[in-house]
Amino acid sequence: MALSTRATKMLEKVGVTFDLHAYDYDPSAESIGLAAAAAIGADPGQVFKTLMVLADGRSACVIAPSSGEVSMKKAAAALGAKSAAMMKPADAERLTGYKIGGISPFGQMRQVPVVIDETAILWDAIYINGGQRGLQVRLAGEDARQALDAKFADIAS
């Protein structure tokens, strides 16, 4: 497994401090985020999933705890849209340059608006996909927000 990805290079470029956590990725897991949390020994609420969405037809990224669901209505509102829906997996892979199960919000092929669930600030650090299956980056939620020019919002259902 390569521990240098577009995601880690982007974080290094903007000066964000992070730790890498590699684990054995299980493609058959019912929830990739929950499997990642178990594999690295982290609370599932501390391991955040990266979802690619279409908000009023425009691409966007939503980052939320693996332990819960995202309210598309709240995500749309946070993105200034009337509605939001999950992006098709093939479209998400093409847009981000990452494979499903390894999509990171960092170092995507094209920069899109990003919303991070506000619970990220409750933790000293959160885990977010590091740009490949089986790799998580651990960093402060505020550092993630700044690196992505994102905003925090209540997007949980």
Side-chain angles (χ1 to χ4, degrees):
M1 169 183 294
L3 296 181
S4 179
T5 65
R6 282 194 329 274
T8 60
K9 289 175 186 172
M10 182 254 191
L11 290 170
E12 288 168 352
K13 183 178 179 182
V14 299
V16 170
T17 301
F18 64 93
D19 297 319
L20 290 175
H21 296 266
Y23 64 97
D24 289 329
Y25 174 80
D26 179 5
S28 66
E30 193 171 313
S31 166
I32 294 169
L34 295 179
I40 62 176
D43 186 298
Q46 189 179 12
V47 178
F48 281 59
K49 56 190 169 188
T50 304
L51 304 175
M52 299 308 296
V53 301
L54 292 172
D56 288 348
R58 295 184 315 270
S59 302
C61 181
V62 175
I63 303 169
S66 295
S67 59
E69 297 294 322
V70 172
S71 163
M72 287 297 157
K73 185 175 181 177
K74 288 181 180 180
L79 291 162
K82 292 181 181 177
S83 67
M86 289 294 295
M87 189 179 289
K88 292 179 183 175
D91 294 339
E93 288 182 343
R94 196 169 25 263
L95 177 75
T96 64
Y98 295 120
K99 296 284 185 199
I100 296 297
I103 292 180
S104 177
F106 309 110
Q108 292 187 1
M109 299 299 284
R110 195 173 112 216
Q111 189 172 357
V112 297
V114 180
V115 175
I116 304 172
D117 187 76
E118 64 188 5
T119 59
I121 59 176
L122 300 176
W123 301 95
D124 290 338
I126 59 173
Y127 296 85
I128 301 177
N129 192 285
Q132 69 184 34
R133 295 171 177 168
L135 184 65
Q136 295 283 316
V137 293
R138 181 180 180 273
L139 72 168
E142 176 59 21
D143 286 347
R145 187 200 66 73
Q146 288 182 13
L148 296 165
D149 192 24
K151 70 183 204 177
F152 289 123
D154 173 13
I155 55 173
S157 58

